[in-house]
Amino acid sequence: MKLRIENFSFRYNANTLAVETFNFQAEAGSYWCFAGPNGSGKSTLLMACAHLLEHQGQFTGNIFWQNTALSEWSRSGLARKLVFVPALFQSDSTFTVEEFVLQARFAFSKFWSTHSKKDREIVVSSLSKVGVLD
């Protein structure tokens, strides 16, 4: 997967500029980290890359996943490529790690279907790869 951000700026409102003129490119298979103080726009940038800010403010610039503009991706197509998990996640329900990760498989399922054996195998394999299966 390749991510390219060109001249990205985002405002929550007229007085709140969250990100200003940001450019970035990540090649497939690369690892990267955004670091900075609280309120510097890290989460805003990541939410914009996941196409979660379109109705929460005003942005300029372009974001591309695999050389396709974010605006051209369908919700389900984008959900099959990425997931955004906020730093602070609150829920009224308790989830195991496996159940939480399994939710990412909904993008590959039919509407109102249950998770398949293949979904569960993919989740177990993924948790094992990152060392959190236990």
Side-chain angles (χ1 to χ4, degrees):
M1 164 115 4
K2 183 177 182 177
L3 168 66
R4 189 172 79 244
I5 303 169
E6 297 176 346
N7 299 315
F8 176 77
S9 295
F10 184 84
R11 287 186 176 280
Y12 281 101
N13 57 50
N15 298 321
T16 309
L17 178 64
V19 179
E20 184 175 19
T21 317
F22 185 79
N23 292 285
F24 178 77
Q25 183 165 314
E27 297 298 326
S30 65
Y31 294 91
W32 35 274
C33 173
F34 295 111
N38 290 344
S40 63
K42 302 176 303 289
S43 294
T44 298
L45 176 66
L46 293 175
M47 288 191 320
C49 290
H51 205 22
L52 297 174
L53 292 180
E54 63 270 20
H55 301 297
Q56 295 186 30
Q58 178 183 15
F59 75 85
T60 58
N62 293 297
I63 300 174
F64 299 88
W65 284 104
Q66 296 181 324
N67 296 318
T68 301
L70 194 62
S71 60
E72 295 180 32
W73 283 88
S74 68
R75 280 279 186 216
S76 61
L78 196 58
R80 288 183 180 115
K81 297 293 181 185
L82 65 99
V83 63
F84 177 79
V85 179
L88 297 175
F89 175 78
Q90 295 179 342
S91 173
D92 292 337
S93 301
T94 57
F95 295 99
T96 66
V97 172
E98 181 181 3
E99 291 167 335
F100 186 80
V101 174
L102 196 55
Q103 291 180 49
R105 295 297 302 164
F106 279 120
F108 298 89
S109 304
K110 293 180 180 167
F111 191 66
W112 289 105
S113 66
T114 59
H115 296 293
S116 69
K117 181 179 177 184
K118 179 182 176 185
D119 290 327
R120 294 186 185 283
E121 289 171 353
I122 289 170
V123 168
V124 168
S125 174
S126 299
L127 293 174
S128 179
K129 284 179 186 176
V130 296
V132 295
L133 185 57
D134 292 339

